């Protein structure tokens, strides 16, 4: 992101907040809102995503920007005086790869700007508190780093036991009282806490009906990932590091990306003890673990003997999934056992479903435009899943996409059928992007 005069000012203030938080890790910080002036809001506006659906007021980013200084000055005054009213969030449903749908909240554009401004304040404080086990929605941290940490830990242990955890409707189940208590341990600024309270209590508008959820973070809100991280920092991260690990007999490692997390253990009995207590710990904070998707998985390095399968008590398999990847033991080119990654089957299927839906809805666009946009989608897929050892799955996505595209082009007209011969000619003219060559695939350590 290009640095501007506003961003330099905000960066200086952010570092001032961070320094205070570092020097007094147990202190409740009571003065934050004075940093959030019009300059701060202007920088928040710059960082706010401009494209996207509009909220209940149908205000676009372009319309808001036409009189930006006046709008930001008014927003600043309402936020500081307590007159700001969090508007309802417009809820829509988007399809998932399994044929179901998930709700998506769309705040108003001005609400996004103010949420971004408050999130910037909270980030300056909590980045000094968050632990190394947390990777999601944090600056300079990524899903690839989380995967690399887990893989390297398991390689060092020679494998181990894993707890795969699925929290049912995490973002919609966060208890407001417990969240306020968690925030109160660090944030004491009345303006900031009041704004967060208004977002927690904001209504949801769906099909003309207004409702008020009693739990959960603001749907689709910029502030939601930060609040969700703060909650799990208290519920899980600090509890595991300060209370659980000292009581274990062997090594253990927690790796969390937002609400997706895995705990690796060197010893089976440690894993079983924590597996038993986890539902109680989360239940204390109003959260429920999915009984079928939360599992104890053996992940020991495959034994030398074919007769020894390395499992016990009927636990099923030595592969698991995290953040769209399947992790499994395999032989390296030199014959050593290593942990490899490839696109998980569920994510592979979901990607093809989304590409098919896009082709169906856009099959009447000019072919060159379809080619350009499909190419960008494919590049985005390669950017995330393009890691060493996954070339085969990348090639498979590309191959399947050609078939999907031909199928929907074939339905454009009853007269001009898209035969494979025509598709080959089209392929020669418009080649979809190839996955990066093997030498260019990223190592997770990079």
């Amino acid at each position: 992101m290009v640095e501007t005069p506003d961003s330099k000012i905000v960066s200086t203030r952010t570092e001032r907040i961070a320094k205070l938080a570092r020097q007094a890790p147990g202190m409740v910080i009571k003065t934050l809102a004075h940093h959030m002036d019009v300059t701060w809001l202007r920088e928040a506006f710059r960082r706010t995503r401009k494209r996207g659906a509009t909220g209940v007021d149908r205000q676009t980013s372009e319309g808001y920007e036409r009189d930006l200084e006046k709008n930001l000055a008014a927003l600043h005054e309402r936020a500081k005086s307590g007159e700001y009213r969090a508007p309802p969030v417009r809820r829509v449903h988007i399809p998932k790869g399994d044929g179901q749908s998930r709700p998506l909240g769309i705040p108003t554009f001005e609400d996004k700007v103010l949420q971004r401004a408050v999130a910037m304040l909270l980030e300056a404080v909590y980045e000094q508190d968050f632990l190394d086990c947390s990777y999601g929605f944090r600056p300079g941290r990524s899903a690839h780093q989380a995967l690399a940490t887990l893989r390297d830990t398991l390689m060092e242990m020679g494998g181990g036991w894993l707890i795969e955890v699925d929290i049912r409707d995490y973002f919609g189940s966060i208890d407001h009282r417990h969240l306020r208590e968690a925030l109160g341990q660090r944030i004491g600024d009345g303006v900031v806490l009041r704004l967060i309270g208004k977002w927690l209590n904001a209504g949801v508008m769906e099909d003309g009906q207004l409702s008020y959820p009693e739990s959960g973070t603001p749907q689709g809100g910029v502030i939601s990932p930060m609040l969700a991280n703060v909650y799990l920092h208290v519920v899980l991260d600090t509890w595991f590091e300060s209370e659980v690990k000292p009581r274990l007999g062997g090594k253990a490692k927690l790796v969390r990306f937002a609400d997706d997390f895995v705990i690796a253990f060197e010893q089976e009995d440690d894993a079983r003890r924590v597996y038993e207590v986890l539902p109680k710990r989360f239940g204390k904070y109003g959260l429920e673990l999915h009984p079928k998707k939360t599992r104890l998985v053996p992940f020991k390095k495959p034994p030398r003997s074919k007769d020894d399968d390395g499992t016990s008590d009927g636990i099923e398999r030595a592969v698991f999934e995290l953040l769209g990847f399947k992790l499994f033991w395999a032989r390296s080119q030199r014959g050593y056992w290593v942990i490899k990654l490839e696109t998980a089957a569920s994510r592979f299927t979901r990607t093809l479903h989304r590409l098919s839906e896009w082709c169906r809805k856009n099959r009447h666009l000019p072919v060159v435009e379809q080619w350009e946009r499909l190419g960008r989608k494919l590049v985005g897929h390669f950017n995330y899943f393009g890691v060493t050892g996954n070339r085969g799955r990348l090639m498979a996505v590309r191959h399947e996409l050609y078939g999907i595209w031909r199928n929907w082009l074939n339905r454009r007209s009853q007269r001009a059928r898209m035969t494979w011969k025509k598709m080959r000619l089209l392929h020669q003219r418009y080649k979809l992007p190839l996955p990066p060559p093997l030498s260019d695939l990223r190592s997770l350590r990079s």
Side-chain angles (χ1 to χ4, degrees):
M1 189 174 286
V2 179
E3 192 172 44
T4 67
D6 287 340
S7 64
K8 292 179 180 179
I9 294 172
V10 170
S11 178
T12 301
R13 295 180 187 174
T14 298
E15 181 52 39
R16 198 176 302 150
I17 298 169
K19 183 179 180 181
L20 175 63
R22 281 194 301 269
Q23 291 176 342
M27 183 180 73
V28 177
I29 301 176
K30 298 183 178 181
T31 55
L32 283 173
H34 67 283
H35 294 288
M36 196 172 64
D37 59 7
V38 173
T39 299
W40 189 280
L41 290 174
R42 194 184 300 115
E43 176 63 13
F45 169 83
R46 190 177 74 91
R47 298 185 188 184
T48 300
R49 183 171 177 264
K50 305 302 188 296
R51 295 181 180 180
T54 57
V56 293
D57 62 354
R58 301 297 177 179
Q59 173 74 68
T60 64
S61 61
E62 294 84 358
Y64 195 82
E65 191 173 10
R66 289 192 194 102
D67 204 353
L68 181 62
E69 293 305 312
K70 180 180 178 181
N71 287 333
L72 293 181
L75 178 60
H76 174 256
E77 179 59 32
R78 283 180 285 137
K80 288 294 183 71
S81 66
E83 295 178 0
Y84 183 79
R85 296 289 178 266
V89 173
R90 184 167 70 90
R91 177 187 284 169
V92 297
H93 291 266
I94 59 174
K96 295 170 63 176
D98 56 5
Q100 299 180 343
S101 65
R102 67 179 180 89
L104 176 68
I106 305 173
T108 65
F109 182 76
E110 184 176 65
D111 207 43
K112 292 179 184 178
V113 173
L114 188 56
Q115 287 191 33
R116 173 67 67 189
V118 173
M120 288 157 56
L121 291 173
L122 296 182
E123 182 181 284
V125 175
Y126 281 104
E127 274 303 306
Q128 320 314 313
D129 295 354
F130 288 156
L131 305 182
D132 286 341
C133 61
S134 167
Y135 291 86
F137 304 113
R138 295 183 59 188
R141 293 186 156 232
S142 69
H144 286 177
Q145 291 174 339
L147 290 162
T149 297
L150 182 61
R151 185 198 60 188
D152 293 347
T153 297
L154 288 168
M155 290 281 289
E156 182 182 337
M157 288 180 181
W161 288 77
L162 295 166
I163 299 178
E164 286 185 309
V165 180
D166 183 273
I167 308 174
R168 273 183 167 166
D169 187 25
Y170 172 61
F171 285 86
S173 301
I174 293 175
D175 183 89
H176 290 175
R177 179 176 63 83
H178 286 305
L179 176 58
R180 289 189 178 95
E181 290 175 357
L183 288 167
Q185 295 174 17
R186 204 65 165 115
I187 308 298
D189 188 293
V191 172
V192 173
L193 293 176
R194 185 165 58 242
L195 286 171
I196 293 173
K198 290 179 178 181
W199 287 319
L200 293 177
N201 294 323
V204 174
M205 182 70 72
E206 183 176 7
D207 297 328
Q209 300 296 317
L210 185 62
S211 61
Y212 294 91
E214 296 181 357
S215 61
T217 56
Q219 284 198 358
V222 178
I223 197 73
S224 288
M226 173 58 68
L227 298 180
N229 262 344
V230 169
Y231 203 64
L232 279 183
H233 173 72
V234 173
V235 175
L236 177 65
D237 300 354
T238 56
W239 169 74
F240 182 78
E241 292 295 330
S242 63
E243 298 185 35
V244 175
K245 284 182 70 174
R247 293 178 170 86
L248 301 179
K251 296 178 182 178
K253 184 74 173 182
L254 166 66
V255 177
R256 180 174 70 81
F257 190 94
D259 60 324
D260 289 321
F261 69 92
V262 170
I263 311 177
F265 298 88
E266 186 178 31
Q267 297 183 6
E268 179 180 349
D269 58 339
D270 286 339
R272 292 191 179 280
R273 287 163 53 203
V274 176
Y275 182 73
E276 291 297 324
V277 78
L278 270 179
K280 301 173 185 177
R281 174 67 182 181
F282 278 76
K284 178 181 176 181
Y285 289 87
L287 301 174
E288 181 183 1
L289 303 187
H290 197 295
K292 293 183 178 180
K293 295 181 180 180
T294 299
R295 302 180 295 175
L296 190 59
V297 181
F299 200 73
K300 298 295 292 183
K301 182 187 296 185
R304 295 179 180 179
S305 170
K306 293 182 179 180
D307 298 329
D308 180 12
D309 64 2
T311 64
S312 63
D313 295 336
I315 295 177
E316 296 177 354
R317 61 193 181 92
V319 300
F320 70 98
E321 295 181 6
L322 180 66
L323 302 174
F325 285 91
K326 180 177 79 172
L327 286 80
F328 58 97
W329 286 100
R331 292 283 190 183
S332 69
Q333 292 182 346
R334 296 185 178 182
Y336 301 115
W337 283 111
V338 296
I339 296 173
K340 293 188 176 182
L341 292 88
E342 67 177 30
T343 309
S346 57
R347 184 62 68 90
F348 185 87
T349 302
R350 189 192 315 172
T351 297
L352 295 182
H353 175 79
R354 288 177 175 174
L355 289 170
S356 180
E357 279 295 295
W358 188 92
C359 290
R360 179 183 69 83
K361 294 178 180 178
N362 297 277
R363 64 185 183 274
H364 294 296
L365 291 175
V367 171
V368 66
E369 184 176 346
Q370 291 187 51
W371 166 74
E372 289 174 348
R373 293 172 68 176
L374 286 172
R376 289 197 294 269
K377 292 179 182 296
L378 208 55
V379 168
H381 182 83
F382 294 161
N383 284 341
Y384 184 74
F385 288 101
V387 300
T388 302
N390 198 32
R391 183 177 177 81
R393 299 295 275 177
L394 301 184
M395 292 296 292
V397 166
R398 181 177 177 271
H399 174 76
E400 292 291 337
L401 177 56
Y402 269 118
I404 290 169
W405 193 23
R406 187 201 74 87
N407 179 57
W408 287 111
L409 289 177
N410 198 35
R411 301 189 185 192
R412 297 202 331 166
S413 170
Q414 293 294 327
R415 297 179 181 178
R417 308 296 290 180
M418 179 57 68
T419 64
W420 277 111
K421 181 178 180 180
K422 290 181 179 179
M423 194 65 188
R424 282 193 293 271
L425 293 174
L426 198 62
H427 167 69
Q428 294 172 5
R429 185 177 182 184
Y430 303 119
K431 290 184 179 179
L432 285 171
L434 288 168
L438 188 61
S439 60
D440 290 345
L441 293 179
R442 291 187 306 279
S443 166
L444 286 176
R445 290 189 178 90
S446 61

